[in-house]
């Protein structure tokens, strides 16, 4: 058994367990998919679930941010704007920024908009770009292992910024990890970022092994304002 096929089987087994062991129904379009395509599709679904979870948690920790959005905006509507298919990539309240271009807004002192939305448009858009803006893959579609790897390193830098970047008055731009009222540390945000990073690194390695294309291992300085291109 090849290394790639072994990884594919492990991932599909783990994701089957996570979904309660329920098999997805067979669809004719799956005949036009390779094993890598099906794993990529599964990863995209898992990433979208994690983005949804992270968005909800950030709004719960930072309810003031939602009030900065358009009148009557809800978390459910924010999730639609982030994850609907086809994906909306032009958000006027962010001046059209998307992906890694939107992320700096969440940490700019002069930004008066919804920082959670800016951050999540950035994260979800970056992940979307790492899969070449596709929601589904077929045999003739190419996947770039370097984009996947770069997005994982960017996620590490974003997680650091979320925990360390502060407003001029010393307050964090956005609240995430912290200590609960009972004194128990809450690292749930860190766990979500860890899962996102693991999915991207795993997919990058699978694609690299399958295509024999090397990954250029680069490092993002956490204190840097620059993220790796996708």
């Amino acid at each position: 058994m090849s290394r790639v096929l072994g990884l594919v089987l492990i991932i599909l087994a783990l994701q089957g367990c996570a979904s309660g062991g329920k098999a997805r129904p067979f669809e004719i379009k799956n005949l036009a998919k390779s094993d890598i395509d099906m794993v990529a599709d599964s990863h995209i679904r898992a990433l979208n679930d994690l983005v949804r979870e992270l968005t909800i948690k950030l709004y719960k920790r930072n309810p003031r941010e939602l009030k900065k959005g358009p009148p009557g905006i809800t978390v459910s509507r924010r999730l639609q704007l982030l994850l609907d298919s086809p994906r909306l990539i032009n958000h006027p309240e962010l001046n059209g920024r998307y992906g890694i271009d939107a992320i700096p807004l969440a940490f700019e002192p002069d930004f008066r908009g919804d920082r959670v939305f800016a951050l999540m448009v950035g994260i979800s858009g970056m992940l979307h770009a790492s899969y070449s803006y596709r929601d589904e893959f077929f045999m003739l579609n190419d996947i770039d292992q370097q984009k996947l790897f770069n997005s994982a390193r960017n996620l590490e830098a974003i997680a650091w910024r979320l925990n360390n970047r502060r407003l001029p008055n010393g307050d964090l731009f956005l609240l995430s990890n912290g200590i609960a009222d009972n004194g128990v540390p809450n690292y749930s945000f860190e766990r979500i970022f860890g899962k996102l990073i693991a999915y991207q690194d795993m997919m990058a390695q699978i694609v690299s092994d399958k295509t024999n294309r090397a990954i250029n291992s680069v490092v993002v300085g956490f204190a840097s304002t620059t993220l790796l291109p996708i």
Side-chain angles (χ1 to χ4, degrees), residues 174-230:
L174 290 169
L175 298 176
S176 54
N177 297 310
I179 306 298
D181 293 337
N182 59 5
V184 177
N186 174 12
Y187 295 123
S188 57
F189 290 88
E190 189 172 310
R191 287 192 290 272
I192 293 174
F193 273 99
K195 290 177 183 178
L196 289 169
I197 292 164
Y199 272 115
Q200 293 299 81
D201 275 334
M202 176 66 77
M203 195 68 219
Q205 192 60 58
I206 290 173
V207 174
S208 177
D209 288 348
K210 182 71 173 180
T211 61
N212 290 318
R213 296 187 307 223
I215 296 172
N216 179 23
S217 297
V218 291
V219 178
V220 179
F222 288 167
S224 171
T225 59
T226 304
L227 295 173
L228 296 174
I230 305 299

Side-chain angles (χ1 to χ4, degrees), residues 16-212:
C17 292
S19 62
K22 296 179 181 178
R24 294 182 63 85
F26 174 78
E27 297 180 74
I28 293 295
K29 64 182 180 180
N30 289 343
L31 295 174
K33 293 177 179 289
S34 67
D35 52 359
I36 299 298
D37 295 328
M38 289 188 286
V39 171
D41 290 352
S42 184
H43 273 222
I44 291 170
R45 289 191 296 270
L47 291 170
N48 288 344
D49 286 344
L50 289 168
V51 165
R52 185 175 291 104
E53 182 181 359
L54 181 58
T55 303
I56 293 170
K57 289 177 70 66
L58 281 170
Y59 275 123
K60 285 183 177 179
R61 286 285 277 148
N62 304 272
R64 67 184 184 277
E65 296 302 320
L66 191 62
K67 298 175 182 177
K68 299 177 183 178
I73 194 70
T74 64
V75 175
S76 295
R77 178 55 182 157
R78 284 305 200 200
L79 291 171
Q80 290 178 337
L81 292 172
L82 290 171
L83 297 170
D84 264 6
S85 183
R87 193 72 64 93
L88 181 64
I89 63 174
N90 186 5
H91 301 279
E93 60 186 291
L94 303 180
N95 295 321
R97 295 196 193 186
Y98 186 71
I100 60 173
D101 293 330
I103 291 169
L105 287 175
F107 304 102
E108 288 182 5
D110 295 333
F111 181 59
R112 295 292 178 261
D114 181 343
R115 295 184 187 278
V116 170
F117 187 58
L119 180 65
M120 295 314 301
V121 165
I123 291 175
S124 62
M126 177 182 69
L127 295 173
H128 192 210
S130 74
Y131 287 89
S132 300
Y133 300 98
R134 295 183 180 278
D135 296 317
E136 190 172 13
F137 278 85
F138 295 93
M139 285 184 183
L140 297 180
N141 300 145
D142 187 49
I143 308 177
D144 189 324
Q145 77 285 348
Q146 193 64 50
K147 291 180 179 180
L148 297 164
F149 178 86
N150 286 3
S151 68
R153 305 290 74 76
N154 286 345
L155 285 167
E156 292 172 342
I158 294 165
W160 183 90
R161 293 180 190 184
L162 194 58
N163 288 319
N164 293 277
R165 289 284 175 86
R166 296 179 181 272
L167 290 158
N169 65 2
D171 292 339
L172 289 167
F173 282 98
L174 290 169
L175 298 176
S176 54
N177 297 310
I179 306 298
D181 293 337
N182 59 5
V184 177
N186 174 12
Y187 295 123
S188 57
F189 290 88
E190 189 172 310
R191 287 192 290 272
I192 293 174
F193 273 99
K195 290 177 183 178
L196 289 169
I197 292 164
Y199 272 115
Q200 293 299 81
D201 275 334
M202 176 66 77
M203 195 68 219
Q205 192 60 58
I206 290 173
V207 174
S208 177
D209 288 348
K210 182 71 173 180
T211 61
N212 290 318

